[in-house]
Amino acid sequence: MTERDTLFSAAVDDIAGFRFDANVVKVFPDMIKRSVPGYQTIIAMTGTLAERYVLPNSRCYDLGCSLGASTIAMRHGINADGCSIVAIDNSPEMVARCEAIIAADARASIRPASDRQEPSVQVICNDVLDAEISQASMVVMNFTLQFIAPELREDLIQRIYQGLQPGGIFILSEKIAFADKQLNTLMIDLHHAFKRANEYSELEISQKRTALEDVLLPETLETHRHRLQNVGFSNIDVWFQCFNFASLLAIK
Ligand code: GEK
């Protein structure tokens, strides 16, 4: 059972930088659904893309897996045999809960013996910057690059590229910024309207914004595109966008 996110509903004197701790884990599914426009669509389509792109005997990666929503979508979508999914997050509290959710999902979705082999799932507590990525046909990084120091991002994307097999797919979902100031303000306002419509108060919206200020560092779509091109991806485009949230796909 997921709890309702009320983490910032009361006034906080000293808003510390946002951390993915036990309190966040408890409310995470509610928080992300009510905060990220299109989250459920992006997760569902991750499964559809897995069905199309994941090759037999390859690995899939969910980088910054949180509670494993993308991992479960991939696991359900994959049709190829002999695949494994590696889900990585550096929050021990997230990883512990993710393991329990993945185990419950496995029990609930046992298929008849004649069906395709169920992909195995390994949940690892690690920094994505230290993760080894190899033999991959699909790498998903949904709303995680935004938390990595900008100067370390290209190196990580380079390693993802190197770890993918030719024809493999990389899904990168992020909160984005806009170079045009007026558009940037408009998109932030529209996002706040989305949060208000999902019953977050003005206080919750403003305190969360402060908590994320130096922690979540969005970049423009142009910056993301250039970085993906620089490391070698050949086919790159946005497949989903709502306000200042977007998902890109890049094919090796
Ligand atoms: C979803 N993808 O539900 N290494 C590993 N994990 C990290 C790092 C890092 N350096 N930095 C942050 N994280 C998920 C949602 S949430 C997005 C991803 C959000 C982890 C962090 O612990 C958290 O679980 C996740 O990245 C970001 O589709 O809450 O906005």
Side-chain angles (χ1 to χ4, degrees), residues 118-153:
E118 197 68 37
S120 66
V121 178
Q122 200 188 359
V123 186
I124 300 175
C125 188
N126 196 8
D127 195 310
V128 294
L129 294 167
D130 298 329
E132 198 217 303
I133 298 159
S134 60
Q135 285 174 255
S137 58
M138 181 165 188
V139 177
V140 176
M141 190 152 51
N142 281 338
F143 308 105
T144 301
L145 190 67
Q146 59 197 20
F147 295 109
I148 305 282
E151 67 276 14
L152 302 177
R153 292 180 186 180

Side-chain angles (χ1 to χ4, degrees), residues 50 53-55 57-63 70-71 74-75 78 83-88 119-122 133-140 164 169:
Y53 280 94
V54 175
L55 299 172
N57 306 313
S58 70
R59 293 195 185 115
C60 301
Y61 289 84
D62 181 1
L63 304 179
S70 308
T71 291
M74 283 193 281
R75 181 198 246 172
I78 292 169
C83 297
S84 58
I85 305 175
V86 184
I88 301 174
S120 66
V121 178
Q122 200 188 359
I133 298 159
S134 60
Q135 285 174 255
S137 58
M138 181 165 188
V139 177
V140 176
L164 274 166
I169 189 167

Side-chain angles (χ1 to χ4, degrees), residues 13-157:
D13 289 340
D14 179 24
I15 301 176
F18 189 79
R19 288 190 52 248
F20 291 95
D21 59 14
N23 290 329
V24 171
V25 168
K26 272 194 227 155
V27 301
F28 187 77
D30 180 67
M31 169 190 283
I32 198 149
K33 264 186 245 153
R34 288 167 63 215
S35 306
V36 176
Y39 175 74
Q40 284 148 302
T41 302
I42 291 171
I43 297 297
M45 293 315 292
T46 297
T48 302
L49 288 163
E51 187 180 348
R52 189 174 176 121
Y53 280 94
V54 175
L55 299 172
N57 306 313
S58 70
R59 293 195 185 115
C60 301
Y61 289 84
D62 181 1
L63 304 179
C65 62
S66 296
L67 299 182
S70 308
T71 291
I72 289 173
M74 283 193 281
R75 181 198 246 172
H76 292 185
I78 292 169
N79 256 329
D81 281 338
C83 297
S84 58
I85 305 175
V86 184
I88 301 174
D89 203 287
N90 68 351
S91 157
E93 294 92 345
M94 278 291 185
V95 167
R97 182 87 190 102
C98 182
E99 277 173 336
I101 289 172
I102 300 281
D105 174 70
R107 285 194 296 276
S109 56
I110 292 170
R111 299 176 183 227
S114 60
D115 215 334
R116 63 104 171 89
Q117 280 171 23
E118 197 68 37
S120 66
V121 178
Q122 200 188 359
V123 186
I124 300 175
C125 188
N126 196 8
D127 195 310
V128 294
L129 294 167
D130 298 329
E132 198 217 303
I133 298 159
S134 60
Q135 285 174 255
S137 58
M138 181 165 188
V139 177
V140 176
M141 190 152 51
N142 281 338
F143 308 105
T144 301
L145 190 67
Q146 59 197 20
F147 295 109
I148 305 282
E151 67 276 14
L152 302 177
R153 292 180 186 180
E154 178 142 345
D155 199 53
L156 173 58
I157 301 296

